[in-house]
Amino acid sequence: MDFAPDAATRKRVEQLSQLGRAQIRPLGLEADRLGRPTPPDHPFFDLLIQLGQGRTRWSEESEAKSRDASRSRGGSSLVTLCLAEELSYWDRGVAVSFPGPGLAEPSILSMGTPDQKRRFLGPFVEPDRPRWGSFAMTEPGAGSDVAGIEASARKDGRHWVLNGAKSFAANASRADWIVVFATVDRSLGREGHRAFVVERGAPGLGNFAIERKMGLKAYESTSFTLEDCRLPGENLLGGEEHYARRAGFRGAMKSFNATRPMVAAMAVGIGRAAFDEARVFAREHGRLADARVRDRLERIRRRLRAARLLCWRAAWLADRAQPNILEASMAKAVAPEVALEAACLGMEILGEVGARGDHLIEKLFRDVKAMDIVEGTGQIQRIIMARRLVKLPSERG
Amino acid sequence: MIDFELGDELALIRETALGFANDQLRPRDREFEKARAVAAEVHEAFRAIGLGAIEVPEEQGGAGLGALARVLVFEELAAADAGAALALDSLGPALYPLLELAGGDALDALARPVLERTGARGVLVWDGAGRVRRERGRVSAEIPWVPTDRVDLLVILDPTGAVCVSEGIARSELRGAGLRAAGASALRLEDAPVRAAWEGAAGARRALARARLYAAALLVGVMRAASDFSREYALNREAFGRPIAHHQALAFLIADMATAVESTRLLVQEAAWRIDGGEEAAEPCATAFLEAAEQAMFVTPNALQILGGHGFMQDYPVEKFMREARTLGLLFGGTDAAREEAGRELDTTPGPAAVGGAGA
Ligand SMILES: Cc1cc2nc3c(=O)[nH]c(=O)nc-3n(C[C@H](O)[C@H](O)[C@H](O)COP(=O)(O)OP(=O)(O)OC[C@H]3O[C@@H](n4cnc5c(N)ncnc54)[C@H](O)[C@@H]3O)c2cc1C
C-alpha cells in the first residue's frame, strides 16, 4: 500500500498551487465581488491556453489505440483528481470556468463515433484560442430524475428537430457546442434518451440566461431553449447504431465512475481551504488555546482526510477499470458534507467578521453547498449505494 | 504513487486471520464471554497460524511484521470477537513501550515469558493524568479497569517513559461492560516494586500512538461486523410489505454506516502505513483512534436500532458490538486525550495546509 502521490504528481500540484495563489483565487474573489462570471475574453483564459490548459484528453493517437480492441485502458483519474482538489482549493468556480470540453468530454469519448470525436474534440487538441464545451441534461422540471426530461427529439428525414428547455448548464453561452440530452419517447424513460451535439448558432438555439447563484459566481450556469432546432443527422452522438446496440444491454449499469470521485475531491479542496483559513484566523486571534476551538478544527481535519482517502480509493479503482460505483458514491456523499461543515465552522470562528460578507471563508460558505447537489445529490448517492448494498429497488418500477 | 493494493503477503495474512476468526471465534463468542476466557485449543490454533506475536521481532520469537499487518489482522479478529482478540494477544499493546523504549534485552527478559505461557497476559496502562505515584523504585496506583483476568506483566506508560511491574499487584475481578472474553479487573498497586524503568518522551509518544492504533483497528473490526450483520438482517426482516432495508430511512442509514466503516478503515491503514514508513505518527494515530471511536458509536447503536427489540436481546450479537465499541474507545485515555494529542499539531504546524495539500 502507498498513501502518497508520486513526485511527478506532487510537482504538478505544486505548479498549480502557484498559479492558484497568484491568479485563480484573486480572480474568484473578483468575480464574486462583481457578481458575474469571468468574461470569455478575459486574458486569464489566454494565459491558460499558453500554459497548456484547456485541452482534450483525446488525440488521433489515442483514437488509434482505442481501436486496438481488447486493450484495457489504465486511466489516470487519480492524478486528475489530485489536480482537481488543488484547483478547487484556490477557487472551484474559476476551476469550472477553465476552457476545455469540460463535463461534455466523457459523453463524446464514450458515445461518439471516431468522426465525431475528431470533429468536436479535434479543435481542443491544440486550441487556437480559449474554447469551451458544455453539457446540458438538467431541465427546470427534471434534475435527479433524469428519466423525466421533457426536451424532445423528432426525426425529420436526415435531420433531427429538438424542442425544450435546459437549465444550469455550465459555460453554455460561451461554448462552441453543447451536448444536449433529449427524448424520442418519454414513455421509454432513459431508453428513449438521445444525445446531440448542438453547435453555437444552430437555428432555434437561444434565450441564453445566466443564472444568479449563491456562490461559484466565476463560471456561468446558463439556461437556454431549443425551438424547432434543426440538426443534421451527424450530430446525433454515436449515430443510430449506438442506440440500437445499447437497447440490447437494457438495465446494465456502468460498473465504474470517475466523475463522482473527482467532484468529491473538489469538495475536499473547498473544505481544505476553509479549514486552513479558519486555522490561521484562530491562531492569529489567539483562539487555538481554546480547547473548544481546537477540538472542532481537529474534527474537520480528520473528516477531510477521511473524505480524501475515499476519493483516492474510488479513483484508484476506476484507473484499474475495477467496479467502484459504491466507493464513488461514498466519496461523493461524504466530501460535500464535510466541506460544508468546514465552512460553517470557519464562519463560527470568524464570528461577526464572518457576517460582514467580505471574508474568503464567507465566500467558501456560499460556494460549497452546490457540491452536494451537482453530479447527483447526497440523497441520490445514498440511493446508488443502497442499490449495491441492499438491492434497493429502483424508484421507477 | 497512491496504491491500495495489499500485495500478496499482506493479502495472505489477512485471509488467514479471516479464516481463523470465522472458524474459531465467531461461533463461540458467547461461550468465551461467559467463561471470561478463550478455550485452550483456540489459543493453540492461534499459535499454529503464526499470527500470535505479530509485531514482535523474529529474534524474540515473533512474526516480525509491521503495523499494517497488525491492523489488518486485528480488524478481522475483532469482527468476530474483540474480547477474544485481546485475550489471544498475550502481550497486547504492552509490547509497544518495550519496543520503543527498551529494546532487545528487555524483550527477551520481560516479553518472552509472557509470550511463551499460554493464557499469560501483558497489560498496558496509560497514565496521562499522573494517577500513578512513583517513589524510590516503587509505584502505587488505583486502576479502575483493565480488560484481563490476570496480569503477568504490567507496563505503565506516561509522557516521559514507562515502568514495568510484575509483583505487588492486587487484582479484583469486575463484571466488565464489554470485552469480557478478555476478562475484567481493577488493579491496586501499593508500593509495588519497579522491575524496569525507561525514560524518553519521544519513545513514549510513539508507543502511545501505536497503542491507539491497536484500539482503532479493533474498533474498525467491531463496527464492520455490526454494519454487516444489521444490513443482512434488514434484508430479511419485513415490515409494511417489504424488507425494512427498502424503506429509504433505513436504506440511507445503512449506506452511511457502510461509508463510516470504509472511511475509518482507510484512516487506520494510512496511519499504520506511516508507522511502517518510520514516522512518529502520533497525530495520525490519535486521529485514527478518534475517528474510530466516534464512528463506532455511530455505527453500533444504529446496528442495534435496525434489529429493533431483537437487537436489545442477547440472542443477537449487536448489543455486544455496542458494548465493545464503547469500551474500546475508553482505552489509553479515551477520546479526549487523543483530541489533545491531535489538536497539538494544529498549533505547531506552521502556515496553512495542515490537512496536507493534495501533494503532501
Ligand atoms: C452550480 C450548479 C451547476 C450545475 N451544472 C450543471 C451542468 O453543467 N449541466 C447539467 O446538466 N446540470 C447541471 N446542474 C444541475 C444539477 O445536476 C441538478 O441540480 C441536480 O441533479 C439536482 O436536480 P434538481 O435541481 O432538479 O433537484 P431535484 O431532482 O428536484 O431534487 C430536489 C430534492 O429532492 C431530492 N430527491 C430527489 N429524488 C429523490 C429520491 N428518490 N429520494 C430521496 N430524495 C430525492 C434531491 O436529493 C433534492 O434534495 C448544476 C447545478 C448546480 C447547482
Side-chain angles (χ1 to χ4, degrees):
Chain A
M1 291 188 120
D2 189 350
F3 288 89
D6 58 13
T9 307
R10 284 205 302 274
K11 188 160 167 235
R12 289 178 67 184
V13 168
E14 180 47 39
Q15 284 164 350
L16 205 51
S17 131
Q18 283 165 19
L19 184 69
R21 186 173 292 110
Q23 306 260 354
I24 296 173
R25 184 163 287 170
L27 198 60
L29 286 165
E30 178 189 276
D32 191 65
R33 204 171 48 246
L34 299 175
R36 55 107 182 93
T38 311
D41 58 3
H42 195 285
F44 174 69
F45 296 130
D46 298 315
L47 171 72
L48 287 179
I49 296 298
Q50 281 164 32
L51 291 174
Q53 297 282 346
R55 271 124 174 107
T56 174
R57 282 191 277 144
W58 178 87
S59 67
E60 289 290 351
E61 300 84 76
S62 69
E63 188 57 36
K65 265 190 214 153
S66 72
R67 249 175 270 137
D68 183 1
S70 64
R71 290 191 41 173
S72 77
R73 282 183 297 151
S76 60
S77 9
L78 247 178
V79 176
T80 320
L81 184 139
C82 290
L83 298 174
E85 183 198 311
E86 188 63 21
L87 213 48
S88 287
Y89 178 86
W90 296 105
D91 197 285
R92 203 262 169 178
V94 174
V96 181
S97 78
F98 268 38
L103 271 181
E105 187 176 40
S107 306
I108 297 193
L109 287 176
S110 67
M111 284 190 271
T113 63
D115 276 347
Q116 287 172 330
K117 289 184 211 169
R118 189 168 298 117
R119 191 168 140 216
F120 298 117
L121 295 178
F124 290 86
V125 173
E126 277 301 328
D128 49 339
R129 57 176 173 79
R131 293 172 179 277
W132 286 266
S134 178
F135 176 90
M137 170 72 87
T138 304
E139 300 182 356
S144 306
D145 186 9
V146 287
I149 59 168
E150 291 178 17
S152 66
R154 177 170 53 81
K155 190 120 199 251
D156 181 16
R158 291 200 54 257
H159 282 75
W160 287 90
V161 181
L162 270 49
N163 277 287
K166 292 289 173 185
S167 27
F168 311 153
N171 300 321
S173 83
R174 65 187 65 189
D176 285 11
W177 43 255
I178 310 169
V179 170
V180 171
F181 282 76
T183 174
V184 290
D185 181 350
R186 285 198 63 200
S187 71
L188 293 178
R190 296 195 77 161
E191 283 293 298
H193 286 190
R194 299 290 181 271
F196 298 89
V197 184
V198 180
E199 289 161 280
R200 185 209 298 271
L205 167 67
N207 292 320
F208 288 101
I210 295 176
E211 301 287 348
R212 290 160 52 87
K213 290 181 285 194
M214 179 192 197
L216 300 178
K217 297 186 197 227
Y219 79 96
E220 52 160 311
S221 295
T222 304
S223 306
F224 61 89
T225 59
L226 300 150
E227 288 165 10
D228 285 330
C229 174
R230 269 178 89 76
L231 300 176
E234 299 85 60
N235 286 34
L236 173 66
L237 260 189
E240 314 239 354
E241 314 81 69
H242 173 80
Y243 300 91
R245 224 171 29 236
R246 196 181 62 174
F249 289 94
R250 215 197 133 105
M253 270 206 261
K254 266 192 70 184
S255 69
F256 66 93
N257 174 298
T259 323
R260 287 199 289 269
M262 185 96 75
V263 174
M266 292 176 171
V268 172
I270 300 178
R272 185 157 62 84
F275 170 81
D276 279 350
E277 290 301 312
R279 192 177 69 105
V280 167
F281 186 93
R283 189 214 300 279
E284 283 171 358
H285 292 76
R287 308 266 323 271
L288 275 182
D290 180 347
R292 218 176 262 161
V293 171
R294 229 174 34 231
D295 285 358
R296 285 187 294 168
L297 281 169
E298 180 286 321
R299 180 183 144 85
I300 297 299
R301 178 181 58 187
R302 159 159 54 99
R303 311 255 43 235
L304 282 170
R305 209 182 273 166
R308 175 194 278 161
L309 288 170
L310 287 174
C311 295
W312 283 2
R313 186 166 153 72
W316 177 81
L317 287 166
D319 281 349
R320 300 154 62 100
Q322 285 181 17
N324 80 338
I325 296 298
L326 179 63
E327 290 80 0
S329 285
M330 284 180 169
K332 178 63 182 63
V334 166
E337 290 181 358
V338 178
L340 173 64
E341 201 184 325
C344 282
L345 173 62
M347 288 289 275
E348 261 178 62
I349 288 179
L350 294 183
E352 288 160 348
V353 172
R356 286 158 50 105
D358 57 4
H359 196 282
L360 174 59
I361 293 179
E362 185 271 338
K363 172 178 174 298
L364 296 169
F365 173 75
R366 285 182 288 108
D367 287 349
V368 72
K369 192 68 196 79
M371 306 310 287
D372 202 23
I373 299 168
V374 299
E375 214 35 53
T377 64
Q379 286 73 30
I380 297 304
Q381 302 309 326
R382 286 169 175 89
I383 289 175
I384 295 169
M385 288 190 262
R387 280 195 195 129
R388 304 272 147 172
L389 288 166
V390 292
K391 303 192 177 63
L392 183 72
S394 142
E395 306 286 305
R396 287 164 188 273
Chain B
M1 186 55 183
I2 300 160
D3 188 1
F4 294 91
E5 193 70 73
L6 284 181
D8 292 344
E9 192 194 6
L10 286 174
L12 181 67
I13 287 170
R14 187 176 61 178
E15 200 62 31
T16 307
L18 173 66
F20 171 82
N22 281 341
D23 296 346
Q24 306 276 345
L25 303 185
R26 197 184 309 273
R28 300 175 72 177
D29 59 345
R30 292 294 186 182
E31 175 198 329
F32 299 153
E33 185 177 40
K34 193 147 174 274
R36 304 173 63 98
V38 172
E41 71 272 14
V42 175
H43 276 283
E44 288 313 314
F46 189 59
R47 224 174 257 266
I49 58 171
L51 295 177
I54 192 162
E55 285 170 287
V56 175
E58 283 171 297
E59 306 88 79
Q60 274 81 32
L65 293 163
L68 202 46
R70 157 76 72 188
V71 301
L72 290 168
V73 169
F74 270 56
E75 176 187 333
E76 296 304 334
L77 300 185
D81 188 344
L86 288 174
L88 289 170
D89 189 28
S90 40
L91 206 49
L95 167 69
Y96 298 132
L98 303 183
L99 271 185
E100 298 292 352
L101 289 158
D105 289 348
L107 280 170
D108 275 330
L110 300 167
R112 212 172 212 155
V114 178
L115 289 170
E116 283 168 0
R117 212 174 318 137
T118 300
R121 294 285 302 280
V123 173
L124 176 68
V125 168
W126 165 245
D127 179 29
R131 60 180 164 161
V132 177
R133 294 179 308 281
R134 283 172 69 176
E135 260 170 320
R136 291 182 302 278
R138 302 202 163 254
V139 289
S140 303
E142 297 272 358
I143 297 154
W145 167 71
V146 281
T148 187
D149 274 356
R150 65 183 273 182
V151 183
D152 298 81
L153 182 74
L154 177 66
V155 180
I156 301 170
L157 181 67
D158 70 26
T160 62
V163 298
C164 193
V165 180
S166 49
E167 281 163 49
I169 306 168
R171 191 184 67 79
S172 48
E173 199 159 291
L174 303 167
R175 187 168 56 103
L179 308 167
R180 281 183 208 144
S185 305
L187 306 182
R188 187 185 169 85
L189 281 68
E190 224 164 306
D191 287 331
V194 169
R195 222 176 128 186
W198 310 279
E199 302 219 323
R205 201 158 181 235
R206 277 199 304 273
L208 176 61
R210 296 179 72 170
R212 284 190 172 124
L213 189 64
Y214 184 105
L218 292 169
L219 281 160
V220 171
V222 171
M223 69 172 115
R224 181 187 97 194
S227 166
D228 288 352
F229 190 93
S230 57
R231 182 168 77 233
E232 205 50 47
Y233 183 91
L235 274 168
N236 294 315
R237 175 82 176 178
E238 294 204 0
F240 302 98
R242 50 187 141 145
I244 54 172
H246 293 175
H247 293 287
Q248 212 179 60
L250 283 200
F252 284 17
L253 179 61
I254 288 167
D256 288 340
M257 288 161 68
T259 305
V261 174
E262 186 74 22
S263 67
T264 309
R265 174 190 292 124
L266 289 170
L267 271 184
V268 168
Q269 292 180 348
E270 191 203 4
W273 170 82
R274 292 193 182 282
I275 287 185
D276 287 343
E279 290 180 38
E280 178 195 60
E283 182 270 310
C285 288
T287 297
F289 171 72
L290 257 176
E291 182 71 359
E294 277 188 15
Q295 295 285 25
M297 288 324 292
F298 163 66
V299 172
T300 58
N302 275 315
L304 194 155
Q305 185 73 16
I306 289 172
L307 270 75
H310 295 282
F312 199 67
M313 308 301 155
Q314 302 204 315
D315 306 326
Y316 288 102
V318 287
E319 63 81 30
K320 180 166 167 287
F321 295 145
M322 185 172 147
R323 288 184 289 114
E324 286 166 349
R326 184 55 282 175
T327 359
L328 285 168
L330 304 177
L331 288 168
F332 317 125
T335 46
D336 279 338
R339 252 183 268 279
E340 230 13 81
E341 173 73 73
R344 211 187 333 262
E345 294 260 314
L346 292 168
D347 250 333
T348 53
T349 316
V355 185

